[in-house]
Amino acid sequence: MLTKILTAGAFVLAFAAPALADIVVTDAYARSAMPGAPTGAAFMVIENTGDTDDRLIDVRSDAAQRVELHTHRAEGDGIMRMVHVEEGFVIPAGEQHALERGGDHVMMMGLTRDLVQGETVTLTLVFENAGETVVDVPVDLERIAEHSGMAKH
């Protein structure tokens, strides 16, 4: 009986794992503007190696009271406004989507602890198709912003 249960469990895992493998996260880092700041943000490149589009629809972390997907939108007259993107971000099949400063990003509001250089923040990224992916994101307060303006929306 135990052999049947283990075999069935291995069968389920063999077919569940490939869906999660379609999402690859690289170059992730988190930061706050200064020590003691009530907010922070996380940035990364998300690659969809699968054959179908997916969508990042939510993100969770115990590092903040509220975690949302945000972007910057032009208001006119050179004014940019940060807004919550409730529908999430499409990650096209075979492509990458950059979450970067000045563009799409993960916003952490009501930080439960300071973001300290060299420590990590655990994020759970929730995708429409691939499900949940847990990422340990290093805190990097020293990285210089790359103002490429190349964020995909």
Side-chain angles (χ1 to χ4, degrees):
M1 181 68 167
L2 181 58
T3 303
K4 287 183 180 179
I5 291 171
L6 291 175
T7 302
F11 182 79
V12 170
L13 286 175
F15 287 97
L20 295 176
D22 288 346
I23 297 297
V24 178
V25 177
T26 57
D27 199 27
Y29 73 101
R31 63 174 290 113
S32 59
M34 66 183 107
T39 60
F43 312 97
M44 65 200 74
V45 176
I46 302 170
E47 181 177 6
N48 179 352
T49 62
D51 296 330
T52 42
D53 292 353
D54 208 337
R55 180 181 296 269
L56 176 61
I57 56 173
D58 195 16
V59 62
R60 297 188 301 268
S61 177
D62 63 0
Q65 295 170 8
R66 200 166 85 217
V67 184
E68 296 178 349
L69 298 170
H70 276 205
T71 195
H72 288 85
R73 296 224 169 101
E75 296 262 308
D77 293 331
I79 297 172
M80 298 294 285
R81 181 172 171 232
M82 192 169 18
V83 294
H84 178 203
V85 182
E86 293 181 38
E87 67 276 12
F89 306 126
V90 173
I91 316 296
E95 294 186 27
Q96 297 179 343
H97 185 87
L99 303 186
E100 59 189 4
R101 290 159 76 173
D104 298 343
H105 60 280
V106 173
M107 189 72 196
M108 298 176 284
M109 296 161 284
L111 290 174
T112 56
R113 61 182 171 86
D114 282 350
L115 298 184
V116 177
Q117 178 72 23
E119 292 186 357
T120 60
V121 174
T122 301
L123 299 178
T124 301
L125 306 176
V126 183
F127 295 90
E128 201 167 63
N129 298 319
E132 296 183 359
T133 298
V134 177
V135 181
D136 287 324
V137 179
V139 175
D140 186 347
L141 304 175
E142 299 169 355
R143 188 181 292 208
I144 305 290
E146 297 175 19
H147 294 289
S148 65
M150 298 300 289
K152 295 180 182 180
H153 298 285

